[in-house]
Amino acid sequence: MPYKEKSTAFGRKDFLSSTIKNIPPTGRLKNKRLENNATACDIIHWATWSRFSGSKATGTIADGNGNSVDVSMSSNFDFSSTPTIYNYWLFSYYPTPIPNETVPKTTWSAGNGGSTNMTFSQPVTNPVLLIASLGQTGQRVTLGFSLPYVVLYDGGAMSYDNSTSITGEEGYAIIMFPGNSKNVVITSTTPEDYTNITWGLSLPAFPVNITETASSCGSTTVTASGGTSYIWNGGDNRYSATNTFHTNGQYIVTAKNADGCSVSVSKQIDVHVSPTVTVKGNLTGCGSVTATASVDNAVSYQWNGGNTPNSASNTFRASGRYTVIVTDMYQCQATRWIDVIVNKPVVPVINITASPSGQICSGIPVTYSASISNGGDSPELSWLKNGTPVGAGKTYTATDLASGDKIECALASHIPCAVPARLISNSIIADVNATPTITISQRFVIDGRSSSVQLNPVVNGNIASYLWTPAEGLSNPNIPDPIASPRFTTDYTLTVVSAAGCQATAPVRVLVLKDIMIPNTFTPNGDGVNDTWEITNLADFPKATIDIYNRYGASIYHSIGYVRPWNGIYNGKELPAGTYYYLINLKDQVHGAKSGWVTILR
């Protein structure tokens, strides 16, 4: 970026320098002052700068009332200083003297976030900013301000973009921020070799007041007083003391008195426009719906229906679209419509049934089913046994009922406007009859000492009938204790039915023991025929012991019971063909021990 040439005296710049070579000589320099500031009416008290440390610069200003105000600047670049104002001579046409002393030297900051924060130690009136050498020829620099400004002095090469933006191409100006403030933020997006700036306070030559004289919907009228002529920076009547505005904003009026002095003041103008209506309340309800409209400074409400159409809060008892017109104190009106849904109350119904119903026998499962209406899309069902939750869903099956148990179902309806939303079904009281019990503890055996045995189960309950099956070998199948004379082992079943119709069953085996039949050969060769030593009827003697020995008397097989017949294996190896000797003790008082030989053929 081109360097700004400076003479050793810091007071002038070489006219041949490319940055200002087109500026005419001093005697013909057309520096400009605003016409309404042609006389030295406004006294400016300028800052004396005392410290520059990194990104901060500090100084003080005497406000003319005997008070000292601290002023500080902070930025995202480092401040330095120059002992005089660059091209100070360009400010020589300003009506009042400007001290040519040490002032801050800024380079501004490029890109997003370039910001300089200027803060006074207390609120001040009309802070003034002097800008010397903003940008340079061919390099424009733009500054933005957080407050609107007016131009007190135009030293040339400045573009006043709007009330909060200024652009310089080696520009010089003095601007003021009318009104009371404590802080001004300057934003920058273009880097700069440097610009001199300094701050001051402008004491108004005379007081100027702005008062609101009329306000209506869409416009606000204010009147300035204290001067003889006025210029506003906006409004319908810019050159009149009384001006009307239609847009919110911070507006500035510059007033001139009879002596030709000018004073600029600012005022925030708030134009009243159509308000925004807010409506609160649940617009869907049962039987009725209440909605409340709200507008700041409202003076009247007008609904097109409802119980209280002239109130902010209105109750509706029928569905439909309703409109409210609200008028505020400035006669601004706003309209808002709402859709109201009013549902009629509905009565949920729930009923339960049992299957089987009526009297039941203990231990019999009973399934209860619920039928509902007006339950909504997803009704909640909770089954209760004696008031305690035991299940959910449309059915519930109970297997442990006792007489007097009360079964109910609670319904939580999700249909809008259900009244009541939760209810209990009808009750079903369990009527449970005891089921008979059968106990058979004796082992029934016919072992040759007799040809029959009497069956004698222990049966509890009010029994109406007995039935033994099968009937073969029984003296009477319809009595509790018949005589059993089966020819072979038989499994019988006793079925009893109580007087209440409850039945119970129990099995019993009558074991008919017959002598065992022992083969003397078998062929364990894996052909699926006679591969094991099968002993007929031995399974009826579960306590029997079986021992087999070789010809030397060594034990090669021992078993209690004969669940798995011998296959000619000893210690995991096949025994050789030959004769082996056995001893079988049936552990029975009638049938004695058996001994003999058996031959393995391979």
Side-chain angles (χ1 to χ4, degrees):
M1 178 171 296
Y3 175 72
K4 292 184 177 177
E5 295 186 34
K6 295 169 284 296
S7 69
T8 57
F10 274 80
R12 294 183 179 272
K13 187 178 204 180
D14 188 347
F15 284 112
L16 298 179
S17 169
S18 61
T19 58
I20 60 169
K21 63 183 180 181
N22 295 322
I23 297 178
T26 304
R28 292 182 285 112
L29 187 63
K30 295 182 179 180
N31 287 5
K32 294 174 290 183
R33 294 169 297 157
L34 294 188
E35 184 178 350
N36 57 359
N37 286 286
T39 59
C41 297
D42 292 340
I43 303 300
I44 299 177
H45 298 271
W46 295 99
T48 299
W49 298 93
S50 58
R51 184 177 182 184
F52 304 91
S53 175
S55 62
K56 292 186 177 181
T58 58
T60 58
I61 301 176
D63 65 359
N65 296 318
N67 300 316
S68 179
V69 179
D70 295 331
V71 57
S72 65
M73 290 191 297
S74 61
S75 186
N76 53 351
F77 58 84
D78 288 340
F79 288 101
S80 58
S81 65
T82 60
T84 58
I85 298 173
Y86 185 68
N87 276 342
Y88 173 76
W89 61 276
L90 291 174
F91 295 97
S92 60
Y93 288 94
Y94 190 72
T96 59
I98 299 172
N100 192 19
E101 300 173 349
T102 299
V103 292
K105 173 184 175 183
T106 66
T107 56
W108 307 118
S109 181
N112 293 331
S115 177
T116 302
N117 190 14
M118 194 286 301
T119 304
F120 294 101
S121 59
Q122 64 189 47
V124 296
T125 301
N126 296 348
V128 175
L129 173 63
L130 180 148
I131 303 173
S133 185
L134 178 64
Q136 52 196 315
T137 303
Q139 180 67 46
R140 295 168 59 84
V141 173
T142 298
L143 302 179
F145 304 103
S146 61
L147 298 176
Y149 67 87
V150 295
V151 180
L152 298 184
Y153 180 81
D154 179 11
M158 283 291 194
S159 297
Y160 304 101
D161 308 323
N162 52 56
S163 64
T164 57
S165 177
I166 189 172
T167 298
E169 189 173 358
E170 189 61 32
Y172 298 80
I174 300 174
I175 62 176
M176 181 179 72
F177 303 93
N180 297 324
S181 61
K182 188 178 179 179
N183 178 269
V184 181
V185 177
I186 306 174
T187 56
S188 58
T189 59
T190 307
E192 164 78 303
D193 181 56
Y194 78 78
T195 301
N196 282 136
I197 63 173
T198 187
W199 289 90
L201 298 177
S202 175
L203 298 181
F206 57 92
V208 175
N209 297 315
I210 301 175
T211 58
E212 184 177 302
T213 55
S215 181
S216 63
C217 186
S219 68
T220 297
T221 300
V222 298
T223 298
S225 61
T228 58
S229 64
Y230 305 88
I231 299 177
W232 296 84
N233 66 339
D236 294 346
N237 308 295
R238 296 183 57 198
Y239 300 97
S240 173
T242 299
N243 199 358
T244 300
F245 300 90
H246 302 277
T247 305
N248 292 346
Q250 188 83 18
Y251 291 94
I252 298 173
V253 63
T254 299
K256 181 183 292 185
N257 67 4
D259 297 329
C261 295
S262 298
V263 172
S264 296
V265 295
S266 66
K267 180 175 179 60
Q268 175 65 36
I269 303 297
D270 295 319
V271 178
H272 302 288
V273 297
S274 295
T276 299
V277 182
T278 60
V279 177
K280 296 182 179 180
N282 189 351
L283 302 184
T284 299
C286 302
S288 66
V289 166
T290 298
T292 301
S294 178
V295 167
D296 290 339
N297 300 315
V299 295
S300 69
Y301 296 85
Q302 183 61 56
W303 296 86
N304 65 336
N307 291 356
T308 53
N310 297 319
S311 299
S313 183
N314 198 1
T315 299
F316 307 92
R317 300 190 182 278
S319 299
R321 174 166 288 186
Y322 294 91
T323 302
V324 60
I325 300 174
V326 185
T327 304
D328 67 11
M329 63 184 298
Y330 306 103
Q331 297 305 303
C332 291
Q333 288 189 333
T335 302
R336 173 75 182 272
W337 58 264
I338 58 172
D339 286 323
V340 168
I341 299 176
V342 179
N343 295 306
K344 295 182 179 180
V346 294
V347 179
V349 176
I350 180 170
N351 187 64
I352 63 172
T353 58
S355 179
S357 60
Q359 291 186 338
I360 60 171
C361 300
S362 60
I364 299 299
V366 178
T367 297
Y368 297 89
S369 300
S371 60
I372 60 175
S373 61
N374 294 333
D377 293 335
S378 302
E380 295 181 27
L381 297 173
S382 176
W383 291 92
L384 308 174
K385 178 181 178 182
N386 300 323
T388 300
V390 291
K394 288 191 174 182
T395 62
Y396 161 66
T397 299
T399 58
D400 57 348
L401 291 172
S403 282
D405 283 345
K406 181 170 69 172
I407 304 299
E408 298 169 309
C409 187
L411 166 64
S413 176
H414 288 176
I415 195 170
C417 301
V419 180
R422 188 178 187 276
L423 70 159
I424 305 297
S425 70
N426 56 304
S427 301
I428 297 180
I429 306 301
D431 187 1
V432 181
N433 292 306
T435 297
T437 62
I438 304 174
T439 304
I440 303 175
S441 58
Q442 181 180 349
R443 185 168 179 261
F444 300 102
V445 179
I446 298 176
D447 57 9
R449 289 175 292 183
S450 64
S451 59
S452 63
V453 64
Q454 186 173 19
L455 305 179
N456 55 353
V458 176
V459 180
N460 291 320
N462 184 13
I463 307 303
S465 66
Y466 297 85
L467 177 63
W468 292 88
T469 58
E472 289 79 10
L474 297 178
S475 61
N476 186 343
N478 300 118
I479 61 176
D481 51 356
I483 301 298
S485 304
R487 291 182 295 118
F488 49 83
T489 298
T490 302
D491 290 322
Y492 293 99
T493 298
L494 172 61
T495 300
V496 299
V497 179
S498 70
C502 300
Q503 74 174 29
T505 62
V508 63
R509 168 172 287 186
V510 176
L511 184 63
V512 179
L513 297 178
K514 295 184 178 181
D515 207 357
I516 62 176
M517 298 177 62
I518 306 172
N520 55 14
T521 61
F522 70 104
T523 59
N525 54 14
D527 62 358
V529 179
N530 201 29
D531 283 337
T532 59
W533 189 34
E534 300 287 344
I535 302 175
T536 305
N537 298 327
L538 186 56
D540 291 339
F541 300 90
K543 296 182 180 181
T545 59
I546 300 93
D547 292 282
I548 302 175
Y549 306 90
N550 62 15
R551 61 181 178 174
Y552 302 109
S555 175
I556 58 174
Y557 178 83
H558 174 75
S559 176
I560 299 176
Y562 203 55
V563 178
R564 298 181 63 183
W566 184 44
N567 58 3
I569 300 297
Y570 175 63
N571 286 339
K573 296 181 179 180
E574 295 181 350
L575 291 170
T579 299
Y580 298 88
Y581 303 91
Y582 63 82
L583 177 61
I584 300 174
N585 187 350
L586 299 179
K587 303 295 184 177
D588 179 77
Q589 295 180 356
V590 176
H591 303 86
K594 310 290 183 181
S595 61
W597 53 269
V598 58
T599 299
I600 294 177
L601 300 179
R602 295 189 184 276

